[in-house]
Amino acid sequence: MSIRIIGGIVMCLPACLLLIAAYRSSPTIDEPGHLASGMINWKFGEYAPYCVNPPLIRKAAALPAMLISQEMNWPAHGEIGLRPEFVLGELLLQSNVDRIQLLFFLSRLPCIAIVLWGMWNCFAWAIEIAGNRAGLVALALVGFSPIILGHGALLSPDAAAAMLFAVSMRALYHFVTTPNLGAVLLWGILSGLAVSAKSSLLVLLPATVGSLLFVVLLFSRTPLLVAKQLGPQLALGSIAACLTICWTYDFDRLFVPLEKFAFTSESLTTTDIVLSSDGQKQLRQENRFEHSAIGKLPVPLPYYLVFGIDQQKTAMEGDSLPQSYFAGKWQERGWPLYYLVGTLLKEPFTFPILLVASIAAMRVRTGRNPVWTHGQELNLRLALTFLIVPATVCFLLVSAQLGFNRHLRYMLPAYPFVLMLISVLASLHLTTHVLRLLIGLQLISVLWHAPHMLSYFNELAGGPSRGKQWLESSNVDWGQDLHYLREWIETHPEQPLDYVALQSLYDVGLYGIDEKAPPPPFLEGIPSANDPNGLRGPAPGRYAVSAIVTVGREHRYGSMSATYLNEREPEHRVGYSVEIHEISVEEAVALKALLLKRERDSAEAKE
């Protein structure tokens, strides 16, 4: 049987997992804003909504959704503010309350198609590098990566952009090995699509290409000749990439002078003290380039691509950054190893075993019995360079952002390359029996917890039910289990909920769920910890709360989280992100006593 037919059969399983998750998951925090913004992109050619991300993915997602969406009266541009996407998302949900699941299922299909294309790309590239076995291992690792499955089933640019990035790097690899006009133009178009999917790739992709070319020239015997041969064609490919990016914006507002951008970030503005008309001093913020020669230069990129990057920088500056959470601890800044440790926790435990075993076996086997000719070794080293460099550049760039840590999904562009690297090394240096065992264990772990891949944590981390002890937000709960909670409520009418605190930006009443914030923690001597009724928690009753609310995450209607629920195991779990707690009067009294004792012990320790 053809290896491609076998690969197609294998791909059916991750495709089914993606479709099931897409159909069953409720809209996550970012998705309504993406979908509403995509619809506005099509209807009005307006790219201000969700400008912090380029429009490719949301425009693709909006096409099937627009077939069934209710016609809406969209607010006029400028009525909502600089970041209108979340208000627009709420409006979209309210207008389609009877078809929310179907609407978002359809909108997720284009993203799933891109992710499946990316999986096939990894399969085919691994075959080119190290043969059929490497391709099948790559397909197993990429196709059953929990984080790729989790985000790949959503209307979110993260997984789709990661796959487009990998596809563009394979095109660059083909160009470097056999330079020709068609190959470089294909690379340029694919690179443009990748950048049009996620704004971070506007930095990551050039940094990766530059690093790759540096390594290629460094180890070339004739670097000047290679640079002369590749340079002009790469410039042509870069032009194709820019044209592709502009195409996704409908060539809207190109060549705007730099001084005309309404920047707000500290790095792109200056602040002066001026006198108002009534003689009062006030701060005036203006574009840093407004009175300079460079400000006259036209920018050959869409206005809202550049402005969106500025808006992201604004959100990352100042004292407004959210706290970071890791391994049970909240702090003001991030951790250097957050993404490395997070990957080890959220990928199957076979992931590091495969990597370490492959490297160890490679050193042993190459030392005893070299099997490669000189030409084959050079080709393999070049291919491995194209896998190692993108993953390394991504890891370094993302890990260097220590303002705060929240979403492991920022590391997604590195995943296809790391998993392909493991597949190549493992297929070359591990025995068939070892490979089958480790991949089989990965499949069992993933399928056991499917389709709840956003909340997945491996067995060494304690499994998904212990995920909240390590990470939070989109790593555990992004609002994906509201549909499951509604089903739980409908099937348990005899168990009404007294308190509900969920991770959502939107009104969960759209799902038929009445949200009532649980009482804040009992804190002796702090009357402000009371709720409006003078109640302090824990109180007797039945709670449905996001798992991350129990470790200190703020919820929609309350600034203080129900951390006292972390002292106990829930009676039920809905998915792995929502916990059902049933607290009796006696247990409430005991929990209050425990919290009070801790407060007193803490106060005595400080004295």
Side-chain angles (χ1 to χ4, degrees):
M1 186 181 295
S2 166
I3 186 63
R4 296 189 180 275
I5 294 177
I6 296 174
I9 295 172
V10 173
M11 273 192 63
C12 289
L13 187 50
C16 289
L17 294 177
L18 288 167
L19 290 170
I20 293 171
Y23 184 72
R24 297 284 289 159
S25 299
S26 53
T28 56
I29 285 177
D30 286 358
E31 287 184 285
H34 279 300
L35 183 54
S37 300
M39 290 179 174
I40 286 180
N41 295 159
W42 283 115
K43 288 179 176 291
F44 307 113
E46 175 58 58
Y47 290 94
Y50 232 128
C51 64
V52 295
N53 263 313
L56 177 65
I57 301 303
R58 62 176 179 262
K59 288 179 73 174
L63 281 175
M66 288 168 67
L67 297 176
I68 68 163
S69 175
Q70 293 278 19
E71 190 65 32
M72 288 172 288
N73 294 319
W74 298 104
H77 175 56
E79 287 185 358
I80 309 176
L82 285 177
R83 295 294 303 273
E85 53 267 15
F86 298 111
V87 176
L88 297 173
E90 182 92 42
L91 175 63
L92 177 69
L93 292 175
Q94 292 172 352
S95 302
N96 293 274
V97 68
D98 60 334
R99 64 193 72 186
I100 290 176
Q101 285 300 117
L102 179 59
L103 185 71
F104 280 87
F105 172 68
L106 293 176
S107 71
R108 291 162 174 168
L109 294 180
C111 303
I112 291 175
I114 295 173
V115 170
L116 292 175
W117 177 27
M119 290 179 183
W120 187 264
N121 172 76
C122 295
F123 167 66
W125 196 359
I127 290 176
E128 293 173 4
I129 296 172
N132 292 347
R133 192 163 77 142
L136 291 174
V137 175
L139 187 55
L141 296 182
V142 176
F144 296 95
S145 165
I147 192 168
I148 292 176
L149 289 173
H151 289 278
L154 303 178
L155 193 187
S156 171
D158 299 285
M163 292 306 191
L164 287 171
F165 179 47
V167 171
S168 71
M169 287 298 101
R170 183 185 175 206
L172 180 63
Y173 170 72
H174 287 162
F175 166 69
V176 170
T177 53
T178 55
N180 62 80
L181 182 61
V184 78
L185 289 177
L186 178 62
W187 165 74
I189 293 171
L190 292 172
S191 296
L193 292 176
V195 173
S196 299
K198 186 78 175 173
S199 57
S200 60
L201 289 177
L202 190 60
V203 175
L204 176 58
L205 198 146
T208 301
V209 172
S211 301
L212 281 169
L213 293 178
F214 174 77
V215 174
V216 169
L217 295 176
L218 183 65
F219 291 98
S220 173
R221 294 181 179 179
T222 57
L224 293 179
L225 182 62
V226 172
K228 184 177 180 180
Q229 181 184 19
L230 298 182
Q233 295 187 70
L234 285 173
L236 186 61
S238 300
I239 294 174
C242 288
L243 289 173
T244 303
I245 295 169
C246 295
W247 170 73
T248 63
Y249 281 89
D250 298 326
F251 297 94
D252 178 60
R253 299 187 69 178
L254 301 178
F255 300 106
V256 175
L258 192 57
E259 65 182 3
K260 298 297 184 181
F261 284 84
F263 293 138
T264 59
S265 65
E266 294 177 2
S267 54
L268 295 178
T269 58
T270 58
T271 303
D272 299 318
I273 299 177
V274 297
L275 293 178
S276 63
S277 57
D278 58 357
Q280 298 294 320
K281 291 183 178 181
Q282 61 183 22
L283 292 178
R284 181 182 66 183
Q285 188 180 49
E286 63 180 18
N287 185 322
R288 181 177 295 277
F289 308 101
E290 190 166 342
H291 303 294
S292 65
I294 195 174
K296 307 295 183 184
L297 295 177
V299 179
L301 291 171
Y303 177 91
Y304 280 110
L305 174 63
V306 180
F307 181 69
I309 294 172
D310 171 73
Q311 292 300 294
Q312 281 190 320
K313 291 178 66 66
T314 301
M316 298 292 291
E317 293 174 343
D319 300 325
S320 60
L321 290 178
Q323 284 193 320
S324 300
Y325 175 80
F326 178 62
K329 179 182 178 182
W330 293 90
Q331 68 178 35
E332 295 299 330
R333 290 180 57 80
W335 289 265
L337 296 180
Y338 177 89
Y339 294 99
L340 176 61
V341 177
T343 297
L344 296 177
L345 295 173
K346 284 191 66 67
E347 282 296 296
F349 70 91
T350 54
F351 168 79
I353 296 175
L354 274 169
L355 180 59
V356 172
S358 301
I359 294 174
M362 176 181 65
R363 293 180 63 86
V364 171
R365 299 186 73 177
T366 53
R368 293 179 180 176
N369 183 27
V371 295
W372 295 95
T373 66
H374 180 66
Q376 288 175 320
E377 276 198 23
L378 289 178
N379 290 335
L380 179 62
R381 288 177 182 176
L382 178 63
L384 293 179
T385 298
F386 269 78
L387 300 181
I388 295 171
V389 170
T392 303
V393 172
C394 179
F395 174 76
L396 293 177
L397 287 177
V398 174
S399 296
Q401 306 303 312
L402 294 177
F404 79 103
N405 295 142
R406 176 165 289 180
H407 304 290
L408 197 63
R409 59 191 172 92
Y410 295 153
M411 267 289 289
L412 264 169
Y415 274 71
F417 299 96
V418 174
L419 297 174
M420 279 191 287
L421 175 65
I422 292 175
S423 69
V424 169
L425 296 179
S427 65
L428 291 175
H429 302 293
L430 294 183
T431 65
T432 301
H433 294 302
V434 172
L435 274 176
R436 287 177 177 173
L437 173 63
L438 293 175
I439 292 175
L441 290 174
Q442 171 169 337
L443 294 182
I444 292 172
S445 178
V446 170
L447 294 176
W448 184 263
H449 300 294
H452 304 288
M453 292 293 99
L454 276 185
S455 303
Y456 178 90
F457 281 78
N458 63 38
E459 288 71 19
L460 298 181
S465 61
R466 292 289 178 268
K468 67 177 184 178
Q469 308 299 349
W470 295 101
L471 304 172
E472 57 108 20
S473 198
S474 63
N475 307 303
V476 177
D477 181 7
W478 219 15
Q480 73 271 16
D481 287 333
L482 297 184
H483 183 63
Y484 290 96
L485 178 58
R486 180 175 65 182
E487 290 182 345
W488 188 91
I489 294 172
E490 291 173 350
T491 56
H492 296 76
E494 76 288 354
Q495 296 177 292
L497 299 173
D498 299 298
Y499 302 104
V500 179
L502 304 172
Q503 172 74 340
S504 176
L505 283 179
Y506 306 102
D507 181 9
V508 298
L510 297 172
Y511 269 84
I513 302 170
D514 296 325
E515 191 162 28
K516 179 185 177 182
F522 176 81
L523 299 172
E524 185 184 28
I526 306 181
S528 61
N530 293 355
D531 75 354
N533 298 318
L535 182 65
R536 292 178 175 182
R542 186 171 292 108
Y543 296 68
V545 297
S546 165
I548 60 178
V549 167
T550 69
V551 296
R553 185 78 158 99
E554 294 182 359
H555 52 81
R556 179 176 167 88
Y557 293 117
S559 61
M560 299 192 69
S561 301
T563 50
Y564 46 81
L565 295 177
N566 200 36
E567 303 290 337
R568 65 191 307 280
E569 285 294 309
E571 276 69 25
H572 308 280
R573 285 189 172 88
V574 180
Y576 290 103
S577 71
V578 179
E579 298 179 351
I580 307 295
H581 291 264
E582 299 179 8
I583 300 182
S584 64
V585 174
E586 294 77 14
E587 187 177 5
V589 172
L591 276 174
K592 285 183 179 181
L594 175 63
L595 293 171
L596 178 59
K597 182 178 184 301
R598 286 184 180 174
E599 286 295 315
R600 288 174 175 170
D601 291 345
S602 176
E604 291 174 0
K606 290 179 181 179
E607 293 176 357

